[in-house]
Amino acid sequence: MPSKEQQWKQRTEWPLAAVAVAFLVMYSVQILGRPHGLEARVLWALCWMAWALFVVDYIARLCLAENRREWFLLHLIDLLIVALPFMRPLRMLRLVALLSVLQKAVGNAVRGKILLYTISGITLLVYVASLAILDAERQQPGALINSFGQAVWWSITTVTTVGYGNLYPVTVTGRVVAVLLMIGGISLIGVVTASLASWLVQRVSETDTANQAATAAQLNELRDEIRALSARLPQHDASDA
C-alpha cells in the first residue's frame, strides 16, 4: 500500500503541473510583455501565490514522510529549489522547480515515447532558459543578450554544447543560468540515452524469451514424437516374432 507521502504526490502531481504551466505563462508575460502599473503588481502577486503552492507541497510531503529526517536529507535539492528563489538575485531559479514538476507529470505520461519526450523536454528547457537569461541580462552594463531572439539563440547553442561565443552572459546570475542549462542539457541527453538503451534491452529480452519459449515447445513436440515411436517399437517387434 502506498505511503501517505506517495498518495499525496499522486493526488497533487497534475494539479501542480497545471499551476506550473500557469506560472510559466505569467512569468512569460512579465519578461516579454514588461507590464507596468496595476497589471505588473497583479502578475507579481499571482506568481508568488503559485510559488507558495510549491512551498506548501514541499512542507506537506515533509510532514507526511514516515522518516522526516531521512526524507529531508534525501530531498535537499528540493529545499534549495524552493528556498533560493526568495533571494532576489536568483528569482528566476523558480523555473527549475517548474521543470521538475512538469517532468514528473508529463514524463510519466510519455515515458517510452523517446522522440516525443526528447522534443518536448528540449523545447521546454530552451524556452525556460531563454526567459531566465533575458531576465538576468537585459539592460545590464555590457550585456550582449538584450532581446528574446538573442536569448533563444544563446540557449540553443548552449544546450547543444556548440557555444559559438558571440553571445554569453556577463552577470553572475546569468552564468548560474548557463551552468544549469548545460547540466540540464547533459542530463536530458543521459535520460534519453538510458531510456533508449533500456528499451533496446527490453526488446532483446522479449525476443530471447519468445525464442526460448518456441524452442521449448519444439523440444516438447520432439519428445512426444520420440515417446510415441518408442511405444510402437516393442509392439512391432512382438508381431514379427
Side-chain angles (χ1 to χ4, degrees):
M1 181 178 178
S3 64
K4 292 182 179 179
E5 192 259 336
Q6 291 173 336
Q7 291 177 4
W8 170 270
K9 286 179 62 177
Q10 293 172 357
R11 293 173 181 173
T12 59
E13 193 173 72
W14 282 104
L16 282 177
V19 173
V21 171
F23 177 86
L24 179 59
V25 172
M26 292 185 291
Y27 187 79
S28 300
V29 173
Q30 282 184 316
I31 303 304
L32 301 179
R34 307 179 71 178
H36 301 282
L38 179 61
E39 183 181 0
R41 290 193 293 272
V42 170
L43 282 173
W44 181 87
L46 290 175
C47 280
W48 280 109
M49 287 173 61
W51 185 253
L53 293 176
F54 296 136
V55 177
V56 170
D57 173 65
Y58 175 85
I59 296 174
R61 288 189 291 128
L62 175 60
C63 294
L64 293 173
E66 296 178 356
N67 188 331
R68 294 178 184 175
R69 179 181 176 83
E70 181 181 357
W71 189 94
F72 177 80
L73 294 175
L74 291 175
H75 294 80
L76 289 177
I77 294 179
D78 290 347
L79 175 62
L80 291 175
I81 290 174
V82 169
L84 283 176
F86 288 99
M87 303 177 188
R88 186 174 179 81
L90 298 176
R91 285 180 303 168
M92 70 286 301
L93 291 186
R94 292 176 293 185
L95 298 176
V96 176
L98 181 146
L99 287 173
S100 176
V101 171
L102 291 179
Q103 192 276 335
K104 289 176 183 176
V106 180
N108 291 333
V110 301
R111 197 168 306 281
K113 301 177 182 178
I114 299 175
L115 180 61
L116 176 61
Y117 183 84
T118 305
I119 293 175
S120 60
I122 290 178
T123 301
L124 182 61
L125 184 63
V126 167
Y127 180 71
V128 166
S130 300
L131 291 177
I133 199 67
L134 183 60
D135 188 15
E137 294 286 306
R138 184 167 51 192
Q139 296 182 342
Q140 295 297 323
L144 301 174
I145 304 173
N146 293 295
S147 68
F148 186 65
Q150 291 175 327
V152 172
W153 173 253
W154 173 84
S155 296
I156 292 174
T157 57
T158 301
V159 79
T160 56
T161 67
V162 174
Y164 284 110
N166 57 334
L167 296 175
Y168 53 86
V170 297
T171 64
V172 173
T173 306
R175 289 168 182 168
V176 171
V177 174
V179 170
L180 293 175
L181 179 59
M182 295 173 196
I183 295 174
I186 294 172
S187 300
L188 185 62
I189 293 173
V191 169
V192 172
T193 303
S195 298
L196 180 59
S198 175
W199 178 77
L200 289 174
V201 170
Q202 182 180 359
R203 292 302 300 269
V204 170
S205 177
E206 291 175 352
T207 303
D208 288 342
T209 301
N211 290 336
Q212 290 175 2
T215 302
Q218 292 173 351
L219 288 174
N220 289 333
E221 291 179 0
L222 288 173
R223 290 193 187 98
D224 293 338
E225 291 180 1
I226 292 171
R227 290 193 189 98
L229 291 173
S230 299
R232 291 179 184 177
L233 285 176
Q235 296 177 0
H236 182 71
D237 293 340
S239 62
D240 290 343

PDB file of all heavy atoms in Angstrom, residues 8-21 54 57 96-112 116-117 120 124:
ATOM      1  N   TRP A   8      -0.043  11.543  -1.528  1.00  0.00           N
ATOM      2  CA  TRP A   8      -0.086  12.989  -1.730  1.00  0.00           C
ATOM      3  C   TRP A   8       0.512  13.358  -3.084  1.00  0.00           C
ATOM      4  O   TRP A   8      -0.042  14.172  -3.826  1.00  0.00           O
ATOM      5  CB  TRP A   8       0.663  13.689  -0.599  1.00  0.00           C
ATOM      6  CG  TRP A   8       0.872  15.163  -0.835  1.00  0.00           C
ATOM      7  CD1 TRP A   8       1.924  15.762  -1.453  1.00  0.00           C
ATOM      8  CD2 TRP A   8      -0.018  16.225  -0.458  1.00  0.00           C
ATOM      9  NE1 TRP A   8       1.769  17.118  -1.482  1.00  0.00           N
ATOM     10  CE2 TRP A   8       0.586  17.436  -0.886  1.00  0.00           C
ATOM     11  CE3 TRP A   8      -1.243  16.265   0.205  1.00  0.00           C
ATOM     12  CZ2 TRP A   8      -0.005  18.678  -0.670  1.00  0.00           C
ATOM     13  CZ3 TRP A   8      -1.844  17.507   0.417  1.00  0.00           C
ATOM     14  CH2 TRP A   8      -1.230  18.692  -0.012  1.00  0.00           C
ATOM     15  N   LYS A   9       1.649  12.747  -3.418  1.00  0.00           N
ATOM     16  CA  LYS A   9       2.297  13.022  -4.697  1.00  0.00           C
ATOM     17  C   LYS A   9       1.399  12.645  -5.861  1.00  0.00           C
ATOM     18  O   LYS A   9       1.292  13.385  -6.840  1.00  0.00           O
ATOM     19  CB  LYS A   9       3.620  12.259  -4.786  1.00  0.00           C
ATOM     20  CG  LYS A   9       4.742  12.833  -3.925  1.00  0.00           C
ATOM     21  CD  LYS A   9       6.012  12.021  -4.047  1.00  0.00           C
ATOM     22  CE  LYS A   9       6.528  12.029  -5.471  1.00  0.00           C
ATOM     23  NZ  LYS A   9       7.807  11.294  -5.590  1.00  0.00           N
ATOM     24  N   GLN A  10       0.747  11.488  -5.764  1.00  0.00           N
ATOM     25  CA  GLN A  10      -0.133  11.043  -6.841  1.00  0.00           C
ATOM     26  C   GLN A  10      -1.325  11.983  -7.028  1.00  0.00           C
ATOM     27  O   GLN A  10      -1.732  12.258  -8.150  1.00  0.00           O
ATOM     28  CB  GLN A  10      -0.627   9.623  -6.553  1.00  0.00           C
ATOM     29  CG  GLN A  10       0.474   8.567  -6.604  1.00  0.00           C
ATOM     30  CD  GLN A  10       0.011   7.202  -6.143  1.00  0.00           C
ATOM     31  OE1 GLN A  10      -1.132   7.035  -5.717  1.00  0.00           O
ATOM     32  NE2 GLN A  10       0.893   6.212  -6.205  1.00  0.00           N
ATOM     33  N   ARG A  11      -1.857  12.491  -5.927  1.00  0.00           N
ATOM     34  CA  ARG A  11      -3.036  13.359  -5.995  1.00  0.00           C
ATOM     35  C   ARG A  11      -2.692  14.772  -6.465  1.00  0.00           C
ATOM     36  O   ARG A  11      -3.523  15.436  -7.078  1.00  0.00           O
ATOM     37  CB  ARG A  11      -3.721  13.420  -4.632  1.00  0.00           C
ATOM     38  CG  ARG A  11      -4.351  12.105  -4.199  1.00  0.00           C
ATOM     39  CD  ARG A  11      -4.865  12.186  -2.770  1.00  0.00           C
ATOM     40  NE  ARG A  11      -5.453  10.908  -2.333  1.00  0.00           N
ATOM     41  CZ  ARG A  11      -5.850  10.667  -1.090  1.00  0.00           C
ATOM     42  NH1 ARG A  11      -5.731  11.606  -0.151  1.00  0.00           N
ATOM     43  NH2 ARG A  11      -6.358   9.490  -0.777  1.00  0.00           N
ATOM     44  N   THR A  12      -1.486  15.234  -6.170  1.00  0.00           N
ATOM     45  CA  THR A  12      -1.127  16.621  -6.482  1.00  0.00           C
ATOM     46  C   THR A  12      -0.266  16.762  -7.730  1.00  0.00           C
ATOM     47  O   THR A  12       0.048  17.882  -8.137  1.00  0.00           O
ATOM     48  CB  THR A  12      -0.362  17.238  -5.294  1.00  0.00           C
ATOM     49  OG1 THR A  12       0.831  16.465  -5.039  1.00  0.00           O
ATOM     50  CG2 THR A  12      -1.239  17.259  -4.041  1.00  0.00           C
ATOM     51  N   GLU A  13       0.108  15.657  -8.345  1.00  0.00           N
ATOM     52  CA  GLU A  13       1.029  15.694  -9.479  1.00  0.00           C
ATOM     53  C   GLU A  13       0.501  16.569 -10.611  1.00  0.00           C
ATOM     54  O   GLU A  13       1.142  17.521 -11.048  1.00  0.00           O
ATOM     55  CB  GLU A  13       1.268  14.265  -9.966  1.00  0.00           C
ATOM     56  CG  GLU A  13       2.424  14.128 -10.934  1.00  0.00           C
ATOM     57  CD  GLU A  13       2.717  12.673 -11.247  1.00  0.00           C
ATOM     58  OE1 GLU A  13       1.915  12.057 -11.962  1.00  0.00           O
ATOM     59  OE2 GLU A  13       3.719  12.153 -10.752  1.00  0.00           O
ATOM     60  N   TRP A  14      -0.702  16.257 -11.092  1.00  0.00           N
ATOM     61  CA  TRP A  14      -1.261  17.006 -12.214  1.00  0.00           C
ATOM     62  C   TRP A  14      -1.757  18.397 -11.824  1.00  0.00           C
ATOM     63  O   TRP A  14      -1.562  19.349 -12.590  1.00  0.00           O
ATOM     64  CB  TRP A  14      -2.372  16.200 -12.891  1.00  0.00           C
ATOM     65  CG  TRP A  14      -1.816  15.127 -13.770  1.00  0.00           C
ATOM     66  CD1 TRP A  14      -1.762  13.786 -13.523  1.00  0.00           C
ATOM     67  CD2 TRP A  14      -1.188  15.304 -15.052  1.00  0.00           C
ATOM     68  NE1 TRP A  14      -1.147  13.127 -14.550  1.00  0.00           N
ATOM     69  CE2 TRP A  14      -0.794  14.023 -15.507  1.00  0.00           C
ATOM     70  CE3 TRP A  14      -0.928  16.414 -15.849  1.00  0.00           C
ATOM     71  CZ2 TRP A  14      -0.148  13.841 -16.721  1.00  0.00           C
ATOM     72  CZ3 TRP A  14      -0.283  16.232 -17.058  1.00  0.00           C
ATOM     73  CH2 TRP A  14       0.098  14.962 -17.483  1.00  0.00           C
ATOM     74  N   PRO A  15      -2.408  18.576 -10.647  1.00  0.00           N
ATOM     75  CA  PRO A  15      -2.749  19.948 -10.243  1.00  0.00           C
ATOM     76  C   PRO A  15      -1.527  20.864 -10.158  1.00  0.00           C
ATOM     77  O   PRO A  15      -1.582  22.016 -10.603  1.00  0.00           O
ATOM     78  CB  PRO A  15      -3.398  19.753  -8.865  1.00  0.00           C
ATOM     79  CG  PRO A  15      -4.000  18.397  -8.932  1.00  0.00           C
ATOM     80  CD  PRO A  15      -3.035  17.584  -9.747  1.00  0.00           C
ATOM     81  N   LEU A  16      -0.423  20.346  -9.620  1.00  0.00           N
ATOM     82  CA  LEU A  16       0.787  21.157  -9.553  1.00  0.00           C
ATOM     83  C   LEU A  16       1.349  21.430 -10.945  1.00  0.00           C
ATOM     84  O   LEU A  16       1.918  22.496 -11.193  1.00  0.00           O
ATOM     85  CB  LEU A  16       1.837  20.459  -8.689  1.00  0.00           C
ATOM     86  CG  LEU A  16       1.651  20.558  -7.179  1.00  0.00           C
ATOM     87  CD1 LEU A  16       2.718  19.757  -6.459  1.00  0.00           C
ATOM     88  CD2 LEU A  16       1.659  21.996  -6.709  1.00  0.00           C
ATOM     89  N   ALA A  17       1.191  20.467 -11.849  1.00  0.00           N
ATOM     90  CA  ALA A  17       1.635  20.687 -13.230  1.00  0.00           C
ATOM     91  C   ALA A  17       0.830  21.815 -13.869  1.00  0.00           C
ATOM     92  O   ALA A  17       1.378  22.653 -14.602  1.00  0.00           O
ATOM     93  CB  ALA A  17       1.487  19.402 -14.039  1.00  0.00           C
ATOM     94  N   ALA A  18      -0.481  21.860 -13.588  1.00  0.00           N
ATOM     95  CA  ALA A  18      -1.328  22.937 -14.111  1.00  0.00           C
ATOM     96  C   ALA A  18      -0.900  24.285 -13.529  1.00  0.00           C
ATOM     97  O   ALA A  18      -0.839  25.298 -14.245  1.00  0.00           O
ATOM     98  CB  ALA A  18      -2.794  22.658 -13.777  1.00  0.00           C
ATOM     99  N   VAL A  19      -0.576  24.299 -12.237  1.00  0.00           N
ATOM    100  CA  VAL A  19      -0.086  25.528 -11.607  1.00  0.00           C
ATOM    101  C   VAL A  19       1.237  25.950 -12.237  1.00  0.00           C
ATOM    102  O   VAL A  19       1.484  27.144 -12.471  1.00  0.00           O
ATOM    103  CB  VAL A  19       0.074  25.327 -10.086  1.00  0.00           C
ATOM    104  CG1 VAL A  19       0.753  26.538  -9.450  1.00  0.00           C
ATOM    105  CG2 VAL A  19      -1.283  25.087  -9.435  1.00  0.00           C
ATOM    106  N   ALA A  20       2.090  24.974 -12.533  1.00  0.00           N
ATOM    107  CA  ALA A  20       3.381  25.279 -13.148  1.00  0.00           C
ATOM    108  C   ALA A  20       3.209  25.904 -14.532  1.00  0.00           C
ATOM    109  O   ALA A  20       3.915  26.854 -14.887  1.00  0.00           O
ATOM    110  CB  ALA A  20       4.224  24.004 -13.242  1.00  0.00           C
ATOM    111  N   VAL A  21       2.272  25.385 -15.298  1.00  0.00           N
ATOM    112  CA  VAL A  21       2.008  25.947 -16.631  1.00  0.00           C
ATOM    113  C   VAL A  21       1.490  27.379 -16.500  1.00  0.00           C
ATOM    114  O   VAL A  21       1.924  28.283 -17.230  1.00  0.00           O
ATOM    115  CB  VAL A  21       1.002  25.068 -17.396  1.00  0.00           C
ATOM    116  CG1 VAL A  21       0.559  25.768 -18.679  1.00  0.00           C
ATOM    117  CG2 VAL A  21       1.612  23.712 -17.715  1.00  0.00           C
ATOM    118  N   PHE A  54       3.944  25.584  -4.360  1.00  0.00           N
ATOM    119  CA  PHE A  54       5.082  24.665  -4.406  1.00  0.00           C
ATOM    120  C   PHE A  54       5.697  24.520  -3.015  1.00  0.00           C
ATOM    121  O   PHE A  54       6.122  23.427  -2.615  1.00  0.00           O
ATOM    122  CB  PHE A  54       6.140  25.170  -5.392  1.00  0.00           C
ATOM    123  CG  PHE A  54       5.672  25.215  -6.809  1.00  0.00           C
ATOM    124  CD1 PHE A  54       5.949  26.302  -7.625  1.00  0.00           C
ATOM    125  CD2 PHE A  54       4.937  24.177  -7.346  1.00  0.00           C
ATOM    126  CE1 PHE A  54       5.517  26.345  -8.933  1.00  0.00           C
ATOM    127  CE2 PHE A  54       4.502  24.203  -8.656  1.00  0.00           C
ATOM    128  CZ  PHE A  54       4.786  25.291  -9.455  1.00  0.00           C
ATOM    129  N   ASP A  57       3.490  22.309  -1.013  1.00  0.00           N
ATOM    130  CA  ASP A  57       3.683  20.911  -1.422  1.00  0.00           C
ATOM    131  C   ASP A  57       4.925  20.331  -0.759  1.00  0.00           C
ATOM    132  O   ASP A  57       4.900  19.191  -0.272  1.00  0.00           O
ATOM    133  CB  ASP A  57       3.807  20.832  -2.947  1.00  0.00           C
ATOM    134  CG  ASP A  57       4.164  19.443  -3.430  1.00  0.00           C
ATOM    135  OD1 ASP A  57       3.345  18.529  -3.251  1.00  0.00           O
ATOM    136  OD2 ASP A  57       5.271  19.267  -3.980  1.00  0.00           O
ATOM    137  N   VAL A  96      13.366  26.288 -12.253  1.00  0.00           N
ATOM    138  CA  VAL A  96      13.908  24.945 -12.057  1.00  0.00           C
ATOM    139  C   VAL A  96      12.847  24.040 -11.456  1.00  0.00           C
ATOM    140  O   VAL A  96      12.674  22.885 -11.861  1.00  0.00           O
ATOM    141  CB  VAL A  96      15.164  24.989 -11.160  1.00  0.00           C
ATOM    142  CG1 VAL A  96      15.674  23.592 -10.875  1.00  0.00           C
ATOM    143  CG2 VAL A  96      16.247  25.826 -11.822  1.00  0.00           C
ATOM    144  N   ALA A  97      12.122  24.557 -10.470  1.00  0.00           N
ATOM    145  CA  ALA A  97      11.033  23.778  -9.869  1.00  0.00           C
ATOM    146  C   ALA A  97       9.935  23.516 -10.874  1.00  0.00           C
ATOM    147  O   ALA A  97       9.330  22.440 -10.908  1.00  0.00           O
ATOM    148  CB  ALA A  97      10.467  24.510  -8.657  1.00  0.00           C
ATOM    149  N   LEU A  98       9.665  24.507 -11.723  1.00  0.00           N
ATOM    150  CA  LEU A  98       8.642  24.314 -12.754  1.00  0.00           C
ATOM    151  C   LEU A  98       9.017  23.150 -13.662  1.00  0.00           C
ATOM    152  O   LEU A  98       8.181  22.286 -13.967  1.00  0.00           O
ATOM    153  CB  LEU A  98       8.502  25.606 -13.566  1.00  0.00           C
ATOM    154  CG  LEU A  98       7.466  25.633 -14.697  1.00  0.00           C
ATOM    155  CD1 LEU A  98       6.875  27.029 -14.808  1.00  0.00           C
ATOM    156  CD2 LEU A  98       8.094  25.238 -16.027  1.00  0.00           C
ATOM    157  N   LEU A  99      10.271  23.096 -14.098  1.00  0.00           N
ATOM    158  CA  LEU A  99      10.724  21.991 -14.942  1.00  0.00           C
ATOM    159  C   LEU A  99      10.597  20.665 -14.219  1.00  0.00           C
ATOM    160  O   LEU A  99      10.208  19.655 -14.808  1.00  0.00           O
ATOM    161  CB  LEU A  99      12.178  22.223 -15.365  1.00  0.00           C
ATOM    162  CG  LEU A  99      12.425  23.300 -16.413  1.00  0.00           C
ATOM    163  CD1 LEU A  99      13.912  23.521 -16.579  1.00  0.00           C
ATOM    164  CD2 LEU A  99      11.791  22.932 -17.737  1.00  0.00           C
ATOM    165  N   SER A 100      10.927  20.660 -12.933  1.00  0.00           N
ATOM    166  CA  SER A 100      10.845  19.429 -12.153  1.00  0.00           C
ATOM    167  C   SER A 100       9.412  18.929 -12.057  1.00  0.00           C
ATOM    168  O   SER A 100       9.137  17.746 -12.241  1.00  0.00           O
ATOM    169  CB  SER A 100      11.416  19.669 -10.752  1.00  0.00           C
ATOM    170  OG  SER A 100      11.277  18.521  -9.947  1.00  0.00           O
ATOM    171  N   VAL A 101       8.476  19.840 -11.795  1.00  0.00           N
ATOM    172  CA  VAL A 101       7.061  19.460 -11.671  1.00  0.00           C
ATOM    173  C   VAL A 101       6.517  18.937 -12.987  1.00  0.00           C
ATOM    174  O   VAL A 101       5.859  17.892 -13.053  1.00  0.00           O
ATOM    175  CB  VAL A 101       6.230  20.660 -11.178  1.00  0.00           C
ATOM    176  CG1 VAL A 101       4.743  20.345 -11.260  1.00  0.00           C
ATOM    177  CG2 VAL A 101       6.605  21.003  -9.742  1.00  0.00           C
ATOM    178  N   LEU A 102       6.797  19.637 -14.072  1.00  0.00           N
ATOM    179  CA  LEU A 102       6.290  19.214 -15.375  1.00  0.00           C
ATOM    180  C   LEU A 102       6.915  17.898 -15.816  1.00  0.00           C
ATOM    181  O   LEU A 102       6.254  17.053 -16.425  1.00  0.00           O
ATOM    182  CB  LEU A 102       6.554  20.300 -16.423  1.00  0.00           C
ATOM    183  CG  LEU A 102       5.743  21.588 -16.273  1.00  0.00           C
ATOM    184  CD1 LEU A 102       6.125  22.582 -17.358  1.00  0.00           C
ATOM    185  CD2 LEU A 102       4.250  21.303 -16.329  1.00  0.00           C
ATOM    186  N   GLN A 103       8.194  17.709 -15.510  1.00  0.00           N
ATOM    187  CA  GLN A 103       8.850  16.460 -15.899  1.00  0.00           C
ATOM    188  C   GLN A 103       8.211  15.263 -15.201  1.00  0.00           C
ATOM    189  O   GLN A 103       8.016  14.206 -15.802  1.00  0.00           O
ATOM    190  CB  GLN A 103      10.338  16.539 -15.566  1.00  0.00           C
ATOM    191  CG  GLN A 103      11.172  15.432 -16.180  1.00  0.00           C
ATOM    192  CD  GLN A 103      11.170  14.169 -15.347  1.00  0.00           C
ATOM    193  OE1 GLN A 103      10.966  14.205 -14.139  1.00  0.00           O
ATOM    194  NE2 GLN A 103      11.367  13.042 -15.995  1.00  0.00           N
ATOM    195  N   LYS A 104       7.872  15.429 -13.912  1.00  0.00           N
ATOM    196  CA  LYS A 104       7.273  14.327 -13.164  1.00  0.00           C
ATOM    197  C   LYS A 104       5.919  13.949 -13.734  1.00  0.00           C
ATOM    198  O   LYS A 104       5.567  12.775 -13.849  1.00  0.00           O
ATOM    199  CB  LYS A 104       7.131  14.707 -11.693  1.00  0.00           C
ATOM    200  CG  LYS A 104       8.448  14.789 -10.955  1.00  0.00           C
ATOM    201  CD  LYS A 104       8.234  15.261  -9.528  1.00  0.00           C
ATOM    202  CE  LYS A 104       9.557  15.413  -8.799  1.00  0.00           C
ATOM    203  NZ  LYS A 104       9.376  15.964  -7.431  1.00  0.00           N
ATOM    204  N   ALA A 105       5.122  14.961 -14.097  1.00  0.00           N
ATOM    205  CA  ALA A 105       3.770  14.694 -14.590  1.00  0.00           C
ATOM    206  C   ALA A 105       3.778  14.237 -16.043  1.00  0.00           C
ATOM    207  O   ALA A 105       3.282  13.168 -16.377  1.00  0.00           O
ATOM    208  CB  ALA A 105       2.904  15.948 -14.446  1.00  0.00           C
ATOM    209  N   VAL A 106       4.384  15.044 -16.907  1.00  0.00           N
ATOM    210  CA  VAL A 106       4.377  14.744 -18.337  1.00  0.00           C
ATOM    211  C   VAL A 106       5.321  13.599 -18.659  1.00  0.00           C
ATOM    212  O   VAL A 106       5.041  12.755 -19.508  1.00  0.00           O
ATOM    213  CB  VAL A 106       4.753  16.004 -19.144  1.00  0.00           C
ATOM    214  CG1 VAL A 106       4.750  15.707 -20.644  1.00  0.00           C
ATOM    215  CG2 VAL A 106       3.784  17.132 -18.825  1.00  0.00           C
ATOM    216  N   GLY A 107       6.449  13.548 -17.959  1.00  0.00           N
ATOM    217  CA  GLY A 107       7.431  12.491 -18.226  1.00  0.00           C
ATOM    218  C   GLY A 107       6.850  11.115 -18.018  1.00  0.00           C
ATOM    219  O   GLY A 107       7.088  10.202 -18.801  1.00  0.00           O
ATOM    220  N   ASN A 108       6.059  10.937 -16.964  1.00  0.00           N
ATOM    221  CA  ASN A 108       5.437   9.638 -16.717  1.00  0.00           C
ATOM    222  C   ASN A 108       4.424   9.297 -17.790  1.00  0.00           C
ATOM    223  O   ASN A 108       4.209   8.131 -18.115  1.00  0.00           O
ATOM    224  CB  ASN A 108       4.760   9.641 -15.342  1.00  0.00           C
ATOM    225  CG  ASN A 108       5.766   9.691 -14.208  1.00  0.00           C
ATOM    226  OD1 ASN A 108       6.890   9.249 -14.364  1.00  0.00           O
ATOM    227  ND2 ASN A 108       5.368  10.254 -13.077  1.00  0.00           N
ATOM    228  N   ALA A 109       3.778  10.317 -18.358  1.00  0.00           N
ATOM    229  CA  ALA A 109       2.748  10.077 -19.360  1.00  0.00           C
ATOM    230  C   ALA A 109       3.333   9.658 -20.708  1.00  0.00           C
ATOM    231  O   ALA A 109       2.726   8.872 -21.430  1.00  0.00           O
ATOM    232  CB  ALA A 109       1.891  11.330 -19.544  1.00  0.00           C
ATOM    233  N   VAL A 110       4.528  10.182 -21.048  1.00  0.00           N
ATOM    234  CA  VAL A 110       5.104   9.899 -22.368  1.00  0.00           C
ATOM    235  C   VAL A 110       6.316   8.984 -22.278  1.00  0.00           C
ATOM    236  O   VAL A 110       7.016   8.812 -23.258  1.00  0.00           O
ATOM    237  CB  VAL A 110       5.501  11.216 -23.079  1.00  0.00           C
ATOM    238  CG1 VAL A 110       4.312  12.112 -23.249  1.00  0.00           C
ATOM    239  CG2 VAL A 110       6.603  11.931 -22.314  1.00  0.00           C
ATOM    240  N   ARG A 111       6.567   8.426 -21.099  1.00  0.00           N
ATOM    241  CA  ARG A 111       7.728   7.562 -20.952  1.00  0.00           C
ATOM    242  C   ARG A 111       7.640   6.386 -21.923  1.00  0.00           C
ATOM    243  O   ARG A 111       6.598   5.761 -22.045  1.00  0.00           O
ATOM    244  CB  ARG A 111       7.834   7.040 -19.515  1.00  0.00           C
ATOM    245  CG  ARG A 111       9.215   6.488 -19.195  1.00  0.00           C
ATOM    246  CD  ARG A 111       9.346   6.263 -17.706  1.00  0.00           C
ATOM    247  NE  ARG A 111       9.041   7.436 -16.934  1.00  0.00           N
ATOM    248  CZ  ARG A 111       9.887   8.449 -16.768  1.00  0.00           C
ATOM    249  NH1 ARG A 111      11.071   8.416 -17.355  1.00  0.00           N
ATOM    250  NH2 ARG A 111       9.549   9.492 -16.046  1.00  0.00           N
ATOM    251  N   GLY A 112       8.718   6.113 -22.605  1.00  0.00           N
ATOM    252  CA  GLY A 112       8.728   5.074 -23.627  1.00  0.00           C
ATOM    253  C   GLY A 112       8.605   5.671 -25.018  1.00  0.00           C
ATOM    254  O   GLY A 112       9.058   5.083 -25.980  1.00  0.00           O
ATOM    255  N   LEU A 116       9.079  11.871 -28.577  1.00  0.00           N
ATOM    256  CA  LEU A 116       8.192  12.888 -28.012  1.00  0.00           C
ATOM    257  C   LEU A 116       8.784  13.469 -26.740  1.00  0.00           C
ATOM    258  O   LEU A 116       8.765  14.692 -26.513  1.00  0.00           O
ATOM    259  CB  LEU A 116       6.815  12.274 -27.726  1.00  0.00           C
ATOM    260  CG  LEU A 116       5.791  13.186 -27.047  1.00  0.00           C
ATOM    261  CD1 LEU A 116       5.503  14.399 -27.913  1.00  0.00           C
ATOM    262  CD2 LEU A 116       4.491  12.419 -26.763  1.00  0.00           C
ATOM    263  N   TYR A 117       9.320  12.613 -25.908  1.00  0.00           N
ATOM    264  CA  TYR A 117       9.920  13.051 -24.648  1.00  0.00           C
ATOM    265  C   TYR A 117      11.104  13.979 -24.908  1.00  0.00           C
ATOM    266  O   TYR A 117      11.256  15.012 -24.245  1.00  0.00           O
ATOM    267  CB  TYR A 117      10.363  11.831 -23.841  1.00  0.00           C
ATOM    268  CG  TYR A 117      10.930  12.160 -22.481  1.00  0.00           C
ATOM    269  CD1 TYR A 117      10.100  12.351 -21.384  1.00  0.00           C
ATOM    270  CD2 TYR A 117      12.304  12.279 -22.300  1.00  0.00           C
ATOM    271  CE1 TYR A 117      10.620  12.658 -20.135  1.00  0.00           C
ATOM    272  CE2 TYR A 117      12.832  12.579 -21.056  1.00  0.00           C
ATOM    273  CZ  TYR A 117      11.990  12.758 -19.977  1.00  0.00           C
ATOM    274  OH  TYR A 117      12.510  13.072 -18.745  1.00  0.00           O
ATOM    275  N   SER A 120       9.832  17.495 -26.542  1.00  0.00           N
ATOM    276  CA  SER A 120       9.126  18.321 -25.562  1.00  0.00           C
ATOM    277  C   SER A 120      10.077  18.790 -24.467  1.00  0.00           C
ATOM    278  O   SER A 120      10.016  19.948 -24.033  1.00  0.00           O
ATOM    279  CB  SER A 120       7.957  17.543 -24.952  1.00  0.00           C
ATOM    280  OG  SER A 120       8.421  16.369 -24.293  1.00  0.00           O
ATOM    281  N   LEU A 124      10.976  22.823 -23.922  1.00  0.00           N
ATOM    282  CA  LEU A 124      10.669  23.471 -22.652  1.00  0.00           C
ATOM    283  C   LEU A 124      11.939  24.008 -21.994  1.00  0.00           C
ATOM    284  O   LEU A 124      11.955  25.134 -21.463  1.00  0.00           O
ATOM    285  CB  LEU A 124       9.961  22.491 -21.724  1.00  0.00           C
ATOM    286  CG  LEU A 124       9.532  23.035 -20.357  1.00  0.00           C
ATOM    287  CD1 LEU A 124       8.546  24.182 -20.529  1.00  0.00           C
ATOM    288  CD2 LEU A 124       8.914  21.925 -19.509  1.00  0.00           C
TER     289      LEU A 124
END
